[in-house]
Amino acid sequence: MKFFTTLLIMIAGFAHSQSYYMYDFRNVPEDELAVMTENEEHFWSKVAQDQIKKGNMTGWAMLERMGGSADEPNVLFYIGAGSKKNIDQLGNSFGEGSQNVMKQMGDGAAVFVNRALNVNSRRVGQVFLNRIHTESDNDWNYHNYVKTNFSKVSDVNKMNELQGKIWGKYIKKMMDKNETSQKLWSASNVVSPNGSGYNWNYLSIDTYMTYGDALDGGWKSTPTIPDLSEINSLMGGGFYKQVMWRVVMSVNSEGEFRKH
């Protein structure tokens, strides 16, 4: 899997807890989307299952953008790595998993599978992130919709501190009190690529079971939001961009596949 190699060398030197993952963005024409989805369901999700069960990955998902501009990525892959060691081995892990799945299919089927996989990836970007904070509803098991909140922050370490102390603490309390139908929140900083040439370096996500809840935050009543002035100041006044995604399929940390 050559597409991993360009970013793998840029991971070293990060001191936070090891909860690394990749966002892999694609812009897939409508007439190619069905074939890609079939390939992901019947082959690549099985590769992910194989490697997650071996401890080489921590999760995998395919998401499709809801709304937005036609020139933006319309498909997003989440690839959980976990540790730096797993990041270093991701290319090998996908290669090993692919071989294992092919063997299970048998030689005859593998010929047709290889032919089906020989399609344009339509990749437009890859980002490695480190998840610093996660809060979830007590009965969270999975979710169907994800709102990604992209921002360009001036001080990543300060942002990590404030996200946990202010918003993470608040949203966990609201989920526990059933004041919102939100299922999970997390905050991550970009590990690679980084620098002033990129328009975002920080990501938080909000997840829900229904699209309607994702659109309005799932609040049961008008919330009393804590003071976010410090957080907003670090973001230059607000998010760079918010994008909504539908989870098409996923493999959880136990290697269990779900078609959403």
mmCIF file of all heavy atoms in Angstrom, residues 170-210:
data_model
loop_
_atom_site.group_PDB
_atom_site.id
_atom_site.type_symbol
_atom_site.label_atom_id
_atom_site.label_comp_id
_atom_site.label_asym_id
_atom_site.label_seq_id
_atom_site.Cartn_x
_atom_site.Cartn_y
_atom_site.Cartn_z
ATOM 1 N N TYR A 170 -18.285 19.727 29.751
ATOM 2 C CA TYR A 170 -19.672 20.165 29.595
ATOM 3 C C TYR A 170 -20.497 19.169 28.788
ATOM 4 O O TYR A 170 -21.598 18.770 29.209
ATOM 5 C CB TYR A 170 -19.710 21.535 28.928
ATOM 6 C CG TYR A 170 -21.093 21.983 28.526
ATOM 7 C CD1 TYR A 170 -21.995 22.456 29.461
ATOM 8 C CD2 TYR A 170 -21.499 21.915 27.187
ATOM 9 C CE1 TYR A 170 -23.275 22.854 29.099
ATOM 10 C CE2 TYR A 170 -22.772 22.311 26.814
ATOM 11 C CZ TYR A 170 -23.651 22.783 27.770
ATOM 12 O OH TYR A 170 -24.925 23.170 27.398
ATOM 13 N N ILE A 171 -19.992 18.747 27.640
ATOM 14 C CA ILE A 171 -20.795 17.878 26.779
ATOM 15 C C ILE A 171 -20.992 16.509 27.418
ATOM 16 O O ILE A 171 -22.040 15.874 27.246
ATOM 17 C CB ILE A 171 -20.176 17.754 25.363
ATOM 18 C CG1 ILE A 171 -21.208 17.214 24.368
ATOM 19 C CG2 ILE A 171 -18.930 16.885 25.368
ATOM 20 C CD1 ILE A 171 -22.403 18.109 24.162
ATOM 21 N N LYS A 172 -20.020 16.044 28.204
ATOM 22 C CA LYS A 172 -20.190 14.782 28.915
ATOM 23 C C LYS A 172 -21.329 14.907 29.930
ATOM 24 O O LYS A 172 -22.175 14.002 30.052
ATOM 25 C CB LYS A 172 -18.892 14.399 29.616
ATOM 26 C CG LYS A 172 -18.993 13.155 30.497
ATOM 27 C CD LYS A 172 -19.429 11.920 29.715
ATOM 28 C CE LYS A 172 -19.390 10.688 30.607
ATOM 29 N NZ LYS A 172 -19.976 9.494 29.933
ATOM 30 N N LYS A 173 -21.385 16.028 30.632
ATOM 31 C CA LYS A 173 -22.458 16.248 31.600
ATOM 32 C C LYS A 173 -23.808 16.274 30.901
ATOM 33 O O LYS A 173 -24.780 15.674 31.387
ATOM 34 C CB LYS A 173 -22.236 17.567 32.343
ATOM 35 C CG LYS A 173 -23.301 17.875 33.397
ATOM 36 C CD LYS A 173 -22.984 19.161 34.159
ATOM 37 C CE LYS A 173 -23.154 20.387 33.267
ATOM 38 N NZ LYS A 173 -22.968 21.646 34.046
ATOM 39 N N MET A 174 -23.891 16.920 29.747
ATOM 40 C CA MET A 174 -25.152 17.004 29.014
ATOM 41 C C MET A 174 -25.581 15.632 28.480
ATOM 42 O O MET A 174 -26.769 15.302 28.482
ATOM 43 C CB MET A 174 -25.022 17.998 27.850
ATOM 44 C CG MET A 174 -24.835 19.446 28.266
ATOM 45 S SD MET A 174 -26.289 20.129 29.145
ATOM 46 C CE MET A 174 -25.714 20.013 30.852
ATOM 47 N N MET A 175 -24.629 14.831 28.028
ATOM 48 C CA MET A 175 -24.970 13.486 27.563
ATOM 49 C C MET A 175 -25.446 12.619 28.723
ATOM 50 O O MET A 175 -26.419 11.869 28.601
ATOM 51 C CB MET A 175 -23.766 12.851 26.846
ATOM 52 C CG MET A 175 -23.470 13.473 25.491
ATOM 53 S SD MET A 175 -22.222 12.574 24.498
ATOM 54 C CE MET A 175 -20.727 12.949 25.419
ATOM 55 N N ASP A 176 -24.763 12.721 29.850
ATOM 56 C CA ASP A 176 -25.148 11.921 31.018
ATOM 57 C C ASP A 176 -26.526 12.309 31.545
ATOM 58 O O ASP A 176 -27.271 11.460 32.055
ATOM 59 C CB ASP A 176 -24.111 12.083 32.129
ATOM 60 C CG ASP A 176 -22.805 11.353 31.836
ATOM 61 O OD1 ASP A 176 -22.794 10.528 30.888
ATOM 62 O OD2 ASP A 176 -21.815 11.597 32.544
ATOM 63 N N LYS A 177 -26.882 13.595 31.422
ATOM 64 C CA LYS A 177 -28.178 14.074 31.896
ATOM 65 C C LYS A 177 -29.275 13.905 30.851
ATOM 66 O O LYS A 177 -30.417 14.299 31.068
ATOM 67 C CB LYS A 177 -28.068 15.550 32.293
ATOM 68 C CG LYS A 177 -27.205 15.799 33.513
ATOM 69 C CD LYS A 177 -26.992 17.286 33.760
ATOM 70 C CE LYS A 177 -28.319 17.986 34.056
ATOM 71 N NZ LYS A 177 -28.107 19.430 34.388
ATOM 72 N N ASN A 178 -28.906 13.327 29.682
ATOM 73 C CA ASN A 178 -29.854 13.129 28.590
ATOM 74 C C ASN A 178 -30.419 14.455 28.087
ATOM 75 O O ASN A 178 -31.565 14.528 27.636
ATOM 76 C CB ASN A 178 -31.005 12.201 29.005
ATOM 77 C CG ASN A 178 -31.718 11.596 27.819
ATOM 78 O OD1 ASN A 178 -31.110 11.351 26.766
ATOM 79 N ND2 ASN A 178 -33.010 11.365 27.956
ATOM 80 N N GLU A 179 -29.600 15.493 28.143
ATOM 81 C CA GLU A 179 -29.998 16.799 27.623
ATOM 82 C C GLU A 179 -29.713 16.925 26.131
ATOM 83 O O GLU A 179 -30.140 17.874 25.491
ATOM 84 C CB GLU A 179 -29.265 17.913 28.388
ATOM 85 C CG GLU A 179 -29.671 18.050 29.844
ATOM 86 C CD GLU A 179 -31.105 18.528 30.000
ATOM 87 O OE1 GLU A 179 -31.576 19.292 29.124
ATOM 88 O OE2 GLU A 179 -31.765 18.130 30.978
ATOM 89 N N THR A 180 -28.969 15.971 25.590
ATOM 90 C CA THR A 180 -28.678 15.938 24.167
ATOM 91 C C THR A 180 -28.651 14.491 23.714
ATOM 92 O O THR A 180 -28.332 13.588 24.494
ATOM 93 C CB THR A 180 -27.322 16.606 23.846
ATOM 94 O OG1 THR A 180 -27.028 16.439 22.456
ATOM 95 C CG2 THR A 180 -26.186 15.991 24.655
ATOM 96 N N SER A 181 -28.992 14.270 22.451
ATOM 97 C CA SER A 181 -28.935 12.917 21.898
ATOM 98 C C SER A 181 -27.567 12.631 21.280
ATOM 99 O O SER A 181 -27.381 11.580 20.659
ATOM 100 C CB SER A 181 -30.025 12.744 20.832
ATOM 101 O OG SER A 181 -29.827 13.672 19.780
ATOM 102 N N GLN A 182 -26.620 13.550 21.431
ATOM 103 C CA GLN A 182 -25.271 13.309 20.927
ATOM 104 C C GLN A 182 -24.702 12.049 21.559
ATOM 105 O O GLN A 182 -24.874 11.797 22.753
ATOM 106 C CB GLN A 182 -24.368 14.507 21.231
ATOM 107 C CG GLN A 182 -22.960 14.368 20.675
ATOM 108 C CD GLN A 182 -22.177 15.658 20.746
ATOM 109 O OE1 GLN A 182 -22.758 16.755 20.831
ATOM 110 N NE2 GLN A 182 -20.846 15.579 20.708
ATOM 111 N N LYS A 183 -24.003 11.245 20.747
ATOM 112 C CA LYS A 183 -23.485 9.973 21.234
ATOM 113 C C LYS A 183 -22.019 10.038 21.629
ATOM 114 O O LYS A 183 -21.592 9.357 22.559
ATOM 115 C CB LYS A 183 -23.659 8.886 20.165
ATOM 116 C CG LYS A 183 -25.092 8.702 19.676
ATOM 117 C CD LYS A 183 -26.061 8.435 20.807
ATOM 118 C CE LYS A 183 -25.842 7.094 21.478
ATOM 119 N NZ LYS A 183 -26.813 6.849 22.579
ATOM 120 N N LEU A 184 -21.244 10.846 20.918
ATOM 121 C CA LEU A 184 -19.809 10.889 21.176
ATOM 122 C C LEU A 184 -19.242 12.230 20.736
ATOM 123 O O LEU A 184 -19.720 12.833 19.779
ATOM 124 C CB LEU A 184 -19.106 9.742 20.439
ATOM 125 C CG LEU A 184 -17.586 9.608 20.573
ATOM 126 C CD1 LEU A 184 -17.190 8.119 20.639
ATOM 127 C CD2 LEU A 184 -16.858 10.272 19.401
ATOM 128 N N TRP A 185 -18.222 12.683 21.449
ATOM 129 C CA TRP A 185 -17.443 13.872 21.083
ATOM 130 C C TRP A 185 -15.978 13.543 21.242
ATOM 131 O O TRP A 185 -15.588 12.823 22.171
ATOM 132 C CB TRP A 185 -17.806 15.044 21.996
ATOM 133 C CG TRP A 185 -16.846 16.205 21.915
ATOM 134 C CD1 TRP A 185 -16.872 17.238 21.034
ATOM 135 C CD2 TRP A 185 -15.704 16.440 22.761
ATOM 136 N NE1 TRP A 185 -15.832 18.099 21.262
ATOM 137 C CE2 TRP A 185 -15.091 17.626 22.320
ATOM 138 C CE3 TRP A 185 -15.140 15.746 23.832
ATOM 139 C CZ2 TRP A 185 -13.948 18.163 22.922
ATOM 140 C CZ3 TRP A 185 -13.988 16.259 24.423
ATOM 141 C CH2 TRP A 185 -13.418 17.455 23.975
ATOM 142 N N SER A 186 -15.161 14.014 20.322
ATOM 143 C CA SER A 186 -13.723 13.858 20.503
ATOM 144 C C SER A 186 -13.004 15.055 19.904
ATOM 145 O O SER A 186 -13.550 15.779 19.063
ATOM 146 C CB SER A 186 -13.207 12.559 19.865
ATOM 147 O OG SER A 186 -13.153 12.671 18.456
ATOM 148 N N ALA A 187 -11.779 15.282 20.366
ATOM 149 C CA ALA A 187 -10.940 16.380 19.879
ATOM 150 C C ALA A 187 -9.560 15.830 19.570
ATOM 151 O O ALA A 187 -8.991 15.068 20.359
ATOM 152 C CB ALA A 187 -10.858 17.490 20.917
ATOM 153 N N SER A 188 -9.039 16.217 18.413
ATOM 154 C CA SER A 188 -7.751 15.701 17.942
ATOM 155 C C SER A 188 -6.946 16.827 17.315
ATOM 156 O O SER A 188 -7.506 17.763 16.740
ATOM 157 C CB SER A 188 -7.952 14.617 16.880
ATOM 158 O OG SER A 188 -8.825 13.602 17.316
ATOM 159 N N ASN A 189 -5.628 16.732 17.435
ATOM 160 C CA ASN A 189 -4.788 17.666 16.688
ATOM 161 C C ASN A 189 -4.116 16.946 15.529
ATOM 162 O O ASN A 189 -3.844 15.750 15.580
ATOM 163 C CB ASN A 189 -3.753 18.356 17.587
ATOM 164 C CG ASN A 189 -2.920 17.422 18.417
ATOM 165 O OD1 ASN A 189 -3.080 17.374 19.629
ATOM 166 N ND2 ASN A 189 -2.022 16.679 17.775
ATOM 167 N N VAL A 190 -3.889 17.694 14.477
ATOM 168 C CA VAL A 190 -3.232 17.145 13.298
ATOM 169 C C VAL A 190 -1.760 16.915 13.620
ATOM 170 O O VAL A 190 -1.088 17.786 14.164
ATOM 171 C CB VAL A 190 -3.383 18.092 12.095
ATOM 172 C CG1 VAL A 190 -2.560 17.584 10.907
ATOM 173 C CG2 VAL A 190 -4.845 18.227 11.703
ATOM 174 N N VAL A 191 -1.282 15.738 13.278
ATOM 175 C CA VAL A 191 0.134 15.415 13.431
ATOM 176 C C VAL A 191 0.871 15.663 12.117
ATOM 177 O O VAL A 191 1.987 16.174 12.098
ATOM 178 C CB VAL A 191 0.303 13.954 13.885
ATOM 179 C CG1 VAL A 191 1.770 13.595 14.056
ATOM 180 C CG2 VAL A 191 -0.449 13.704 15.182
ATOM 181 N N SER A 192 0.236 15.300 11.021
ATOM 182 C CA SER A 192 0.841 15.472 9.714
ATOM 183 C C SER A 192 -0.232 15.431 8.632
ATOM 184 O O SER A 192 -1.164 14.634 8.732
ATOM 185 C CB SER A 192 1.860 14.347 9.469
ATOM 186 O OG SER A 192 2.365 14.404 8.163
ATOM 187 N N PRO A 193 -0.167 16.287 7.625
ATOM 188 C CA PRO A 193 0.783 17.379 7.432
ATOM 189 C C PRO A 193 0.407 18.591 8.275
ATOM 190 O O PRO A 193 -0.747 18.739 8.669
ATOM 191 C CB PRO A 193 0.656 17.683 5.937
ATOM 192 C CG PRO A 193 -0.747 17.342 5.611
ATOM 193 C CD PRO A 193 -1.097 16.168 6.484
ATOM 194 N N ASN A 194 1.380 19.457 8.539
ATOM 195 C CA ASN A 194 1.137 20.597 9.396
ATOM 196 C C ASN A 194 1.869 21.820 8.862
ATOM 197 O O ASN A 194 2.613 21.734 7.893
ATOM 198 C CB ASN A 194 1.590 20.279 10.832
ATOM 199 C CG ASN A 194 0.581 20.685 11.880
ATOM 200 O OD1 ASN A 194 -0.041 21.731 11.758
ATOM 201 N ND2 ASN A 194 0.432 19.857 12.907
ATOM 202 N N GLY A 195 1.661 22.954 9.496
ATOM 203 C CA GLY A 195 2.333 24.174 9.080
ATOM 204 C C GLY A 195 1.378 25.212 8.538
ATOM 205 O O GLY A 195 0.175 24.964 8.362
ATOM 206 N N SER A 196 1.893 26.395 8.244
ATOM 207 C CA SER A 196 1.061 27.532 7.825
ATOM 208 C C SER A 196 0.452 27.355 6.450
ATOM 209 O O SER A 196 -0.457 28.081 6.069
ATOM 210 C CB SER A 196 1.888 28.825 7.856
ATOM 211 O OG SER A 196 3.027 28.714 7.002
ATOM 212 N N GLY A 197 0.937 26.380 5.687
ATOM 213 C CA GLY A 197 0.404 26.167 4.345
ATOM 214 C C GLY A 197 -0.910 25.413 4.312
ATOM 215 O O GLY A 197 -1.510 25.276 3.244
ATOM 216 N N TYR A 198 -1.358 24.945 5.475
ATOM 217 C CA TYR A 198 -2.606 24.188 5.536
ATOM 218 C C TYR A 198 -3.650 24.979 6.308
ATOM 219 O O TYR A 198 -3.332 25.688 7.256
ATOM 220 C CB TYR A 198 -2.375 22.821 6.192
ATOM 221 C CG TYR A 198 -1.438 21.958 5.391
ATOM 222 C CD1 TYR A 198 -0.077 21.936 5.677
ATOM 223 C CD2 TYR A 198 -1.903 21.205 4.319
ATOM 224 C CE1 TYR A 198 0.798 21.163 4.932
ATOM 225 C CE2 TYR A 198 -1.036 20.423 3.574
ATOM 226 C CZ TYR A 198 0.310 20.407 3.874
ATOM 227 O OH TYR A 198 1.169 19.651 3.120
ATOM 228 N N ASN A 199 -4.912 24.861 5.902
ATOM 229 C CA ASN A 199 -5.950 25.727 6.456
ATOM 230 C C ASN A 199 -6.651 25.150 7.676
ATOM 231 O O ASN A 199 -7.595 25.744 8.171
ATOM 232 C CB ASN A 199 -6.981 26.095 5.377
ATOM 233 C CG ASN A 199 -7.450 24.891 4.584
ATOM 234 O OD1 ASN A 199 -7.438 23.769 5.073
ATOM 235 N ND2 ASN A 199 -7.842 25.123 3.343
ATOM 236 N N TRP A 200 -6.215 23.985 8.170
ATOM 237 C CA TRP A 200 -6.722 23.503 9.464
ATOM 238 C C TRP A 200 -5.697 22.593 10.110
ATOM 239 O O TRP A 200 -4.947 21.909 9.436
ATOM 240 C CB TRP A 200 -8.076 22.812 9.322
ATOM 241 C CG TRP A 200 -8.098 21.555 8.495
ATOM 242 C CD1 TRP A 200 -8.142 21.472 7.127
ATOM 243 C CD2 TRP A 200 -8.096 20.204 8.988
ATOM 244 N NE1 TRP A 200 -8.170 20.149 6.733
ATOM 245 C CE2 TRP A 200 -8.142 19.355 7.849
ATOM 246 C CE3 TRP A 200 -8.070 19.644 10.250
ATOM 247 C CZ2 TRP A 200 -8.156 17.966 7.957
ATOM 248 C CZ3 TRP A 200 -8.083 18.252 10.369
ATOM 249 C CH2 TRP A 200 -8.126 17.436 9.228
ATOM 250 N N ASN A 201 -5.659 22.631 11.434
ATOM 251 C CA ASN A 201 -4.721 21.799 12.178
ATOM 252 C C ASN A 201 -5.353 21.170 13.409
ATOM 253 O O ASN A 201 -4.653 20.565 14.227
ATOM 254 C CB ASN A 201 -3.474 22.596 12.577
ATOM 255 C CG ASN A 201 -3.793 23.754 13.516
ATOM 256 O OD1 ASN A 201 -4.958 24.039 13.804
ATOM 257 N ND2 ASN A 201 -2.758 24.450 13.967
ATOM 258 N N TYR A 202 -6.673 21.314 13.530
ATOM 259 C CA TYR A 202 -7.374 20.784 14.704
ATOM 260 C C TYR A 202 -8.750 20.300 14.278
ATOM 261 O O TYR A 202 -9.377 20.889 13.385
ATOM 262 C CB TYR A 202 -7.518 21.866 15.772
ATOM 263 C CG TYR A 202 -7.625 21.313 17.176
ATOM 264 C CD1 TYR A 202 -6.490 21.052 17.928
ATOM 265 C CD2 TYR A 202 -8.862 21.033 17.746
ATOM 266 C CE1 TYR A 202 -6.576 20.530 19.214
ATOM 267 C CE2 TYR A 202 -8.968 20.508 19.022
ATOM 268 C CZ TYR A 202 -7.817 20.257 19.756
ATOM 269 O OH TYR A 202 -7.910 19.733 21.020
ATOM 270 N N LEU A 203 -9.196 19.231 14.918
ATOM 271 C CA LEU A 203 -10.476 18.623 14.539
ATOM 272 C C LEU A 203 -11.226 18.175 15.784
ATOM 273 O O LEU A 203 -10.652 17.529 16.664
ATOM 274 C CB LEU A 203 -10.235 17.413 13.638
ATOM 275 C CG LEU A 203 -11.471 16.576 13.295
ATOM 276 C CD1 LEU A 203 -12.308 17.276 12.235
ATOM 277 C CD2 LEU A 203 -11.077 15.181 12.811
ATOM 278 N N SER A 204 -12.498 18.524 15.839
ATOM 279 C CA SER A 204 -13.390 17.901 16.825
ATOM 280 C C SER A 204 -14.545 17.279 16.061
ATOM 281 O O SER A 204 -14.882 17.720 14.956
ATOM 282 C CB SER A 204 -13.902 18.911 17.854
ATOM 283 O OG SER A 204 -14.714 19.897 17.251
ATOM 284 N N ILE A 205 -15.124 16.230 16.626
ATOM 285 C CA ILE A 205 -16.259 15.585 15.974
ATOM 286 C C ILE A 205 -17.405 15.431 16.963
ATOM 287 O O ILE A 205 -17.200 15.296 18.168
ATOM 288 C CB ILE A 205 -15.902 14.214 15.363
ATOM 289 C CG1 ILE A 205 -15.606 13.180 16.468
ATOM 290 C CG2 ILE A 205 -14.746 14.316 14.388
ATOM 291 C CD1 ILE A 205 -15.560 11.747 15.961
ATOM 292 N N ASP A 206 -18.626 15.479 16.427
ATOM 293 C CA ASP A 206 -19.853 15.218 17.171
ATOM 294 C C ASP A 206 -20.604 14.136 16.412
ATOM 295 O O ASP A 206 -20.773 14.248 15.197
ATOM 296 C CB ASP A 206 -20.717 16.475 17.262
ATOM 297 C CG ASP A 206 -19.944 17.659 17.812
ATOM 298 O OD1 ASP A 206 -19.566 17.616 18.995
ATOM 299 O OD2 ASP A 206 -19.703 18.619 17.059
ATOM 300 N N THR A 207 -21.059 13.106 17.116
ATOM 301 C CA THR A 207 -21.725 12.006 16.423
ATOM 302 C C THR A 207 -23.139 11.787 16.941
ATOM 303 O O THR A 207 -23.429 12.040 18.116
ATOM 304 C CB THR A 207 -20.926 10.691 16.553
ATOM 305 O OG1 THR A 207 -21.158 10.099 17.840
ATOM 306 C CG2 THR A 207 -19.442 10.915 16.371
ATOM 307 N N TYR A 208 -23.998 11.295 16.037
ATOM 308 C CA TYR A 208 -25.424 11.150 16.322
ATOM 309 C C TYR A 208 -25.965 9.915 15.608
ATOM 310 O O TYR A 208 -25.346 9.381 14.692
ATOM 311 C CB TYR A 208 -26.188 12.391 15.838
ATOM 312 C CG TYR A 208 -25.661 13.682 16.401
ATOM 313 C CD1 TYR A 208 -24.611 14.360 15.772
ATOM 314 C CD2 TYR A 208 -26.194 14.235 17.555
ATOM 315 C CE1 TYR A 208 -24.120 15.548 16.289
ATOM 316 C CE2 TYR A 208 -25.706 15.426 18.078
ATOM 317 C CZ TYR A 208 -24.667 16.074 17.439
ATOM 318 O OH TYR A 208 -24.168 17.238 17.957
ATOM 319 N N MET A 209 -27.184 9.536 15.987
ATOM 320 C CA MET A 209 -27.846 8.418 15.338
ATOM 321 C C MET A 209 -28.672 8.861 14.145
ATOM 322 O O MET A 209 -28.853 8.095 13.200
ATOM 323 C CB MET A 209 -28.739 7.677 16.336
ATOM 324 C CG MET A 209 -27.972 7.038 17.490
ATOM 325 S SD MET A 209 -26.652 5.918 16.957
ATOM 326 C CE MET A 209 -27.619 4.593 16.238
ATOM 327 N N THR A 210 -29.213 10.087 14.171
ATOM 328 C CA THR A 210 -30.062 10.562 13.075
ATOM 329 C C THR A 210 -29.488 11.838 12.470
ATOM 330 O O THR A 210 -28.778 12.605 13.143
ATOM 331 C CB THR A 210 -31.500 10.843 13.547
ATOM 332 O OG1 THR A 210 -31.508 12.025 14.376
ATOM 333 C CG2 THR A 210 -32.057 9.662 14.331
#
